[in-house]
Amino acid sequence: MSLILFSLPALEAMAGDIRRGCGATAGEYEMRHFPDGETYVRVLSDVAGAEVAVLWQLHQPDSNVLPLLMLVNTLKDLGAKRVGLVAPYLAYMRQDKRFHAGEGISQRYFARLLSQQVDWLVTVDPHLHRISALSEVYTIPALAMTAVEPMAGWIRTHVTNPVVIGPDGESEQWAASVAKAAGCPCEVLTKERFGDRDVKVSLPHVDNYRGHTPVLVDDIISTGKTMIQAAQHLMDAGLSAPVCIGVHGIFAAGAQQEMAAAGLKVVTCDSIADHTNAIALGPLLARGMKEILQ
Ligand code: R5P
């Protein structure tokens, strides 16, 4: 497969893993903002007739997506055969229904937008809750890889006598699989959400897990409230401070400070560049790209 990979500079380490994993070459481009904030793009590599992939971060999508679309459209204009998107974190997956009258279903609109712009998509652990597959909203080939194995590998190497804990019902799909792959027990809590920053988590059956190291596993850490509440219950019940693993560390303003103040050790996969990144997803994404391009 002859493939040119363009990458956001913040994801260069992951891009290197992907290039090695699927034999891609690095695409060269310049991107900056004009003084008025609009995006300037210049592609320096010859992409005419080439299979092209763009590795991009989609957290804070309202500011990150337009530069991506400028790059994708430039690549197409310059004659790329196909342009695929490698988005380790897929944004706008959580507003997947009309919760209140008059609300938009942003998951569908975002999926429609990306489907119109790129030829294929590879991502990791998108928040599939009320839909079970990306194909329900994306009309392009869209492949969801899972970080279960990389997370389980990290737990096996770094945690003594772990018990994996899912902080809410939605996390069960990851927690149970991660625990199985790591060869350790699993507990899933229940969560009630009263507002963006107001959640309440149930008490687990802690007596079974004294002497274990709790490892909270969730797909997304945003405000950090879900992790903090779950951790607090575990610690109040006499368990040690848990390790918190998020596939995607979005970290809304103040989240990391609040989690640090609560005494939590936070580890994330590198889908969003951050100092908490400890679990590399590049090899997984390279496998996904090979699969979608074969
Ligand atoms: C819920 O739908 C997700 O799986 C996460 O539990 C949630 O996004 C975490 O959000 P926060 O960090 O704001 O509690």
Side-chain angles (χ1 to χ4, degrees):
M1 175 177 62
S2 163
L3 177 68
I4 304 175
L5 178 69
F6 288 79
S7 166
L8 198 66
L11 295 177
E12 184 44 42
M14 176 183 277
D17 286 343
I18 292 176
R19 287 196 300 269
R20 281 185 290 280
C22 59
T25 56
E28 305 280 333
Y29 71 105
E30 292 173 8
M31 182 176 278
R32 61 182 170 81
H33 293 291
F34 289 111
D36 62 3
E38 294 181 0
T39 299
Y40 168 87
V41 184
R42 183 180 181 198
V43 170
L44 304 173
S45 306
D46 179 9
V47 295
E51 193 75 69
V52 171
V54 178
L55 173 63
W56 213 254
Q57 293 193 145
L58 295 187
H59 71 302
Q60 297 174 356
D62 295 11
S63 54
N64 282 332
V65 169
L66 205 52
L68 164 71
L69 298 187
M70 292 297 163
L71 177 57
V72 165
N73 280 275
T74 306
L75 292 164
K76 286 184 186 168
D77 258 0
L78 295 172
K81 186 175 147 201
R82 280 193 301 180
V83 182
L85 172 61
V86 185
Y89 168 66
L90 187 56
Y92 275 117
M93 286 298 289
R94 285 178 289 174
Q95 182 76 17
D96 55 3
K97 75 168 204 178
R98 198 182 318 283
F99 294 93
H100 303 103
E103 285 180 348
I105 307 173
S106 50
Q107 181 192 71
R108 288 190 202 159
Y109 315 146
F110 190 67
R112 191 183 305 151
L113 172 73
L114 286 189
S115 296
Q116 287 163 350
Q117 296 287 325
V118 297
D119 295 303
W120 51 264
L121 167 71
V122 175
T123 189
V124 179
D125 286 324
H127 189 80
L128 295 173
H129 183 46
R130 273 163 284 263
I131 64 166
S132 59
L134 289 174
S135 58
E136 290 175 42
V137 286
Y138 280 81
T139 54
I140 50 174
L143 182 60
M145 306 299 285
T146 177
V148 162
E149 279 298 336
M151 287 194 288
W154 189 90
I155 292 169
R156 280 195 300 270
T157 314
H158 293 86
V159 184
T160 307
N161 200 17
V163 52
V164 169
I165 298 181
D168 60 20
E170 291 180 31
S171 67
E172 182 168 10
Q173 55 184 310
W174 293 278
S177 309
V178 169
K180 190 170 175 212
C184 67
C186 179
E187 176 91 22
V188 176
L189 314 184
T190 56
K191 175 176 84 176
E192 284 181 275
R193 185 178 281 280
F194 302 100
D196 285 349
R197 291 174 181 264
D198 184 11
V199 296
K200 191 171 176 204
V201 182
S202 74
L203 279 168
H205 308 117
V206 288
D207 285 338
N208 297 343
Y209 302 115
R210 300 204 185 279
H212 285 67
T213 306
V215 182
L216 285 163
V217 174
D218 207 353
D219 59 338
I220 294 171
I221 304 175
S222 179
T223 64
K225 297 291 186 197
T226 300
M227 288 294 198
I228 291 169
Q229 291 280 345
Q232 201 55 58
H233 279 293
L234 300 177
M235 292 190 283
D236 287 350
L239 294 189
S240 53
V243 179
C244 300
I245 303 183
V247 181
H248 308 294
I250 296 176
F251 298 123
Q256 290 198 348
Q257 291 83 340
E258 286 187 41
M259 294 181 84
L264 307 184
K265 176 179 169 62
V266 181
V267 167
T268 58
C269 299
D270 60 357
S271 61
I272 298 165
D274 186 75
H275 69 92
T276 57
N277 293 165
I279 303 170
L281 298 178
L284 183 75
L285 287 162
R287 282 208 301 280
M289 289 166 66
K290 280 183 175 165
E291 190 177 326
I292 212 159
L293 288 169
Q294 70 188 359

